Amino acid sequence: QVQLVESGGGSVQAGGSLRLSCATSGYTFNNNCVGWFRQAPGKEREGVAAIFTVGSNTYYADSVKGRFTISKDNAKNTVYLQMDSLKPEDTAMYFCAAGARLCGSVVHGRADFDDRGQGTQVTVSS
């Protein structure tokens, strides 16, 4: 059974930082794409960042480029999202997701995934 478990969300003031983690299990971590999307109340989901688990190619939505950094630890089957210079508009539920089409979709602000976690809330106050 595939499991994606997020952690690290919370509340922070604008300009602050948070680091999200996504631990995967029951899943072929190698040779796939794992990443993050977010969804705020009343808004459509938005692809944020993704990374191929083979090699180091990363993909970002324009809205977070230069502020967010995605990374991975293949030995731990875990993906991280370092979020710096947070803005109030980054407030949303953040979901870890996986799927072959995810990387390509994130750069267009979409999130085409096969599996996702339960999400972790990120709140940025002004």
Side-chain angles (χ1 to χ4, degrees), residues 14-28:
S17 298
L18 284 173
R19 189 192 194 209
L20 305 183
S21 298
C22 173
T24 72
S25 61
Y27 188 77
T28 304

Side-chain angles (χ1 to χ4, degrees), residues 25-84:
S25 61
Y27 188 77
T28 304
F29 190 75
N30 288 328
N31 197 26
N32 214 317
C33 178
V34 182
W36 299 86
F37 70 91
R38 64 189 180 186
Q39 190 160 20
K43 294 188 177 181
E44 292 187 358
R45 72 183 183 217
E46 177 189 17
V48 173
I51 186 168
F52 270 119
T53 56
V54 175
S56 299
N57 285 355
T58 56
Y59 304 81
Y60 296 95
D62 287 342
S63 58
V64 306
K65 204 172 292 184
R67 300 188 298 121
F68 291 11
T69 304
I70 191 167
S71 61
K72 62 185 174 72
D73 186 334
N74 285 57
K76 297 182 179 179
N77 290 355
T78 299
V79 170
Y80 306 97
L81 185 67
Q82 178 66 40
M83 305 185 294
D84 299 318

Side-chain angles (χ1 to χ4, degrees), residues 48 100 102 120 126:
V48 173
L102 182 62
T120 185
S126 57

Side-chain angles (χ1 to χ4, degrees), residues 99-124:
R101 298 169 298 157
L102 182 62
C103 283
S105 65
V106 159
V107 294
H108 300 292
R110 301 195 321 268
D112 299 333
F113 59 87
D114 297 325
D115 300 286
R116 69 164 177 86
Q118 294 300 307
T120 185
Q121 178 67 36
V122 171
T123 303
V124 185

